[in-house]
Amino acid sequence: QQPVQSPQAVILREGEDAVINCSSSKALYSVHWYRQKHGEAPIFLMILLKGGEQKGHDKISASFNEKKQQSSLYLTASQLSYSGTYFCGTNTGGFKTIFGAGTRLFVKA
Amino acid sequence: DTGVSQDPRHKITKRGQNVTFRCDPISEHNRLYWYRQTLGQGPEFLTYFQNEAQLEKSRLLSDRFSAERPKGSFSTLEIQRTEQGDSAMYLCASSLQGDQETQYFGPGTRLLVL
């Protein structure tokens, strides 16, 4: 079943922060986050594994709450280059990753 | 460039024609996935290979769709008797077993069926 992402879209000014949420109705083994720019392939950002963890690099980080079957992606001090569509992909333990419908992020100067 | 490559990048065809797409995964990756993505949606799983074995096909994949991965290297996705509803971006991704299933996507093949 497809995970639910919220919000569907967000507009930020450069330097502002954003949070994108991903929730599933199924118990999760891992959550994957990708960013896709228009007309390009999705680019891998990070993966979070069962056990509840938080990861981050640069100003993009994420958390995974296994009990709530939710993950959140945190974008701090956003840059113009952060614009794009963010997808979460959920894995319940096999090889199949199911992607959400995406959150469209637009950062303006 | 050692990433995932796909060919062609764009394909325009008439309804009823057959089309074939190719995907070359990252060389050491033994897992390969095909997805379909329509405007405003996330990638939808179509099928998965581990080495040369096709281990799962989505119910979305009708009998008109077939995929192969001979010798466990490149893969092809064929659509027979194309329909307008097949118009979409077809993405290929590969991963290395044991690498937490991190999938690396190719640039995709955009199909337009007239």
Side-chain angles (χ1 to χ4, degrees), chain A:
Chain A
Q1 195 163 358
Q2 187 180 42
V4 177
Q5 288 188 233
S6 63
Q8 290 185 320
V10 59
I11 299 174
L12 297 174
R13 290 191 180 276
E14 235 179 332
E16 291 182 337
D17 302 340
V19 180
I20 299 171
N21 300 302
C22 174
S23 64
S24 173
S25 59
K26 293 191 172 185
L28 299 176
Y29 175 76
S30 64
V31 178
H32 308 221
W33 285 98
Y34 287 81
R35 176 172 62 210
Q36 186 178 33
K37 292 186 181 284
H38 182 69
E40 300 180 8
I43 300 298
F44 173 75
L45 294 176
M46 65 187 77
I47 181 172
L48 300 105
L49 299 179
K50 179 180 176 179
E53 59 173 337
Q54 188 150 356
K55 272 191 177 180
H57 54 82
D58 200 11
K59 293 172 182 152
I60 301 176
S61 62
S63 62
F64 177 23
N65 187 320
E66 181 187 340
K67 288 183 180 178
K68 291 186 177 180
Q69 297 157 192
Q70 292 176 347
S71 177
S72 295
L73 185 72
Y74 306 95
L75 306 167
T76 58
S78 58
Q79 306 168 15
L80 294 175
S81 62
Y82 287 5
S83 293
T85 301
Y86 289 78
F87 294 102
C88 71
T90 54
N91 183 293
T92 56
F95 47 78
K96 185 190 295 189
T97 300
I98 307 297
F99 288 90
T103 294
R104 284 141 196 84
L105 179 76
F106 180 69
V107 180
K108 55 184 181 180

Side-chain angles (χ1 to χ4, degrees), chain B:
Chain B
D1 188 349
T2 57
V4 179
S5 62
Q6 292 186 244
D7 183 70
R9 295 290 307 276
H10 303 273
K11 179 72 177 178
I12 300 174
T13 191
K14 291 183 179 178
R15 190 173 49 188
Q17 298 294 305
N18 299 343
V19 295
T20 300
F21 309 142
R22 176 179 170 126
C23 170
D24 286 88
I26 294 172
S27 58
E28 63 268 27
H29 285 185
N30 61 332
R31 293 183 169 177
L32 187 147
Y33 311 78
W34 284 98
Y35 293 88
R36 180 172 63 191
Q37 186 177 28
T38 53
L39 197 63
Q41 295 298 315
E44 285 180 291
F45 173 82
L46 292 179
T47 191
Y48 156 73
F49 290 87
Q50 181 155 313
N51 300 312
E52 66 276 7
Q54 187 175 19
L55 297 186
E56 183 162 339
K57 284 176 62 171
S58 166
R59 283 170 288 180
L60 293 172
L61 220 62
S62 74
D63 292 343
R64 297 184 297 106
F65 287 71
S66 62
E68 294 183 340
R69 193 184 181 197
K71 303 178 184 177
S73 55
F74 72 92
S75 176
T76 58
L77 177 69
E78 181 183 17
I79 309 175
Q80 296 182 327
R81 305 181 304 281
T82 52
E83 301 173 356
Q84 287 185 325
D86 296 333
S87 296
M89 173 75 88
Y90 290 84
L91 293 164
C92 173
S94 69
S95 70
L96 181 63
Q97 186 175 357
D99 184 27
Q100 302 177 341
E101 302 310 320
T102 300
Q103 296 180 33
Y104 297 90
F105 282 85
T109 295
R110 185 170 293 282
L111 173 67
L112 177 61
V113 182
L114 301 176

